[in-house]
Amino acid sequence: MANLLEVGVMFAAIAAAGVLSTRLDKSVIPFYIVVGMVLSPSVAGQFSVGGYAVPSVESTEFVEIGAELGIVFLLFFLGLEFNPSRLVESRDRIVRAGVIDFAVNFTAGLLLGFVLFGDPLAALLVAGIVYISSSAIITKSLIDLGWIANDEADPLLGTLVFEDLVIAVYLTIAAALVAGGNDLVETVTSVGVAVGFILALVLVVYLGTAWFERSLATSSREFTVLRAIGITVLVAGAALALGVSEAVAAFFVGMAFASTSHVHDLSELLEPIRDTFAAVFFFWIGVETDPALVAGVAGLVAVAAVVSVPTKAVSGYLGGRVYGLSIRRSTRVGLGMVTRGEFSLIIAAVALTGAGGSLSAAMAGELYSFAVGYVLVMSILGTLLMQYSEPIETAVESRLGG
């Protein structure tokens, strides 16, 4: 259980990280992650001053739920930018860009997994870790950098939607295989429930506009916030209970509200809540990172980064071209897709459930350490590539434009 002092230390550290990033004019995301790592039990928890333990923050249930809420609200806002008509108009391009992204990066991850771990199941898990970009971190960066209103936002958001739908099915299959994969009926049922829930959400988005409009019909700002949070978190929680990503569910809820007259009010009222819990999410990534464990797989992480940064950048670039974007903006799409995050960590947790069974305990532990280190590197690197994309855009445009 987290005590109030521990929670206070967390929020004070997050606030200090924000001040520092502002003064240095850098993206705040790496600062949140690093301060989380510094205050984790594996770092701060190892020191004492004058006989008193240095305050540290554990990955308690409060922190984990706060991180989940960060993902939920970030993807809710992503949905607010992506109304149903826009989704229908772009469906062909979303599928084409998404297929390119999957073919390039899942295949690269599968080969990389075989090379690094020499085990088919481990390779499948590495493929997922390498394939899936971070919807939460990328959405936050799009908002912070002002890209959300630019042309490159469409292929970025469309590909993220495609990835999130694919990963909902992938996680169900991967979890079944790690658990032993003996009950085919149970696996098929789980996949069917996940797909059915997603289809139900799609129907709600298209047919429920009038209900969503009425649900926030109040002059009270307080009730507007409470109703919006109640609907969003309830649906996200139900999705998670059924084995579907809470991020996917929150995205569809946001998209449902995107067709109502409440979009502006929701954006204004929920923005501080989104940013607060998003900061907890990034902080949680740091808390989950044990530098000692990551150091043990640093070579594997370096190889994975060297391989997967170019593959993601290339597939993202091709996705931008599918949308008819210029070389410069397509390059920006490629750089924007580099970041990995929450889903890679979820896949790593799935690997741990197979320890001593489908995977040896040593391999499961190594996979988990690899995923944590990989997410740490790619979340920071991807954020920086987005912030400093202009020189790269210029170089690529000069090279290919000529």
Side-chain angles (χ1 to χ4, degrees), residues 22-330:
T22 301
R23 289 185 177 178
L24 296 176
D25 193 26
K26 306 294 182 185
S27 170
V28 73
I29 294 173
F31 289 84
Y32 288 153
I33 295 173
V34 171
V35 77
M37 185 167 59
V38 170
L39 286 177
S40 68
S42 59
V43 179
Q46 305 304 308
F47 297 94
S48 62
V49 178
Y52 293 95
V54 174
S56 63
V57 180
E58 296 184 10
S59 184
T60 59
E61 186 176 13
F62 177 88
V63 175
E64 290 175 355
I65 291 177
E68 286 185 344
L69 287 173
I71 296 171
V72 165
F73 287 121
L74 282 168
L75 270 293
F76 173 82
F77 269 76
L78 178 61
L80 283 180
E81 297 287 340
F82 216 97
N83 61 50
S85 60
R86 183 176 170 188
L87 185 66
V88 171
E89 291 171 3
S90 303
R91 63 184 182 278
D92 292 338
R93 291 181 295 182
I94 289 174
V95 171
R96 287 165 58 197
V99 168
I100 292 171
D101 175 57
F102 179 83
V104 172
N105 295 287
F106 195 87
T107 302
L110 200 62
L111 295 174
L112 184 65
F114 273 116
V115 171
L116 296 182
F117 295 96
D119 178 85
L121 182 54
L124 180 67
L125 294 172
V126 172
I129 290 168
V130 168
Y131 161 63
I132 185 73
S133 297
S134 173
S135 298
I137 299 177
I138 293 171
T139 300
K140 172 67 171 169
S141 295
L142 285 173
I143 294 168
D144 289 349
L145 296 172
W147 291 13
I148 196 73
N150 295 350
D151 291 340
E152 60 270 15
D154 279 350
L156 277 166
L157 300 182
T159 305
L160 289 175
V161 170
F162 186 93
E163 284 189 354
D164 288 353
L165 295 176
V166 168
I167 214 67
V169 177
Y170 165 88
L171 282 172
T172 303
I173 296 173
L177 292 174
V178 169
N182 297 321
D183 194 338
L184 180 61
V185 174
E186 184 178 348
T187 302
V188 172
T189 301
S190 297
V191 172
V193 169
V195 172
F197 189 84
I198 291 170
L199 291 176
L201 286 176
V202 171
L203 287 176
V204 168
V205 168
Y206 281 98
L207 303 178
T209 301
W211 183 87
F212 281 96
E213 180 73 40
R214 291 194 303 273
S215 69
L216 300 186
T218 174
S219 59
S220 168
R221 293 162 64 91
E222 175 187 353
F223 292 160
T224 298
V225 169
L226 290 174
R227 292 177 188 181
I229 292 176
I231 293 169
T232 304
V233 177
L234 179 62
V235 173
L240 196 59
L242 292 172
V244 179
S245 164
E246 71 273 34
V248 173
F251 168 80
F252 279 110
V253 174
M255 194 161 62
F257 279 117
S259 299
T260 71
S261 62
H262 304 295
V263 174
H264 175 74
D265 289 341
L266 287 173
S267 298
E268 180 182 345
L269 294 173
L270 295 182
E271 182 178 347
I273 298 173
R274 176 201 69 195
D275 291 343
T276 298
F277 286 107
V280 175
F281 164 66
F282 301 125
F283 182 90
W284 169 77
I285 291 177
V287 169
E288 286 287 298
T289 304
D290 184 340
L293 293 178
V294 172
V297 293
L300 301 180
V301 171
V303 171
V306 168
V307 170
S308 60
V309 169
T311 58
K312 209 49 150 163
V314 169
S315 64
Y317 173 86
L318 294 175
R321 299 300 276 176
V322 165
Y323 274 72
L325 300 188
S326 66
I327 291 175
R328 176 177 286 272
R329 292 199 179 274
S330 295

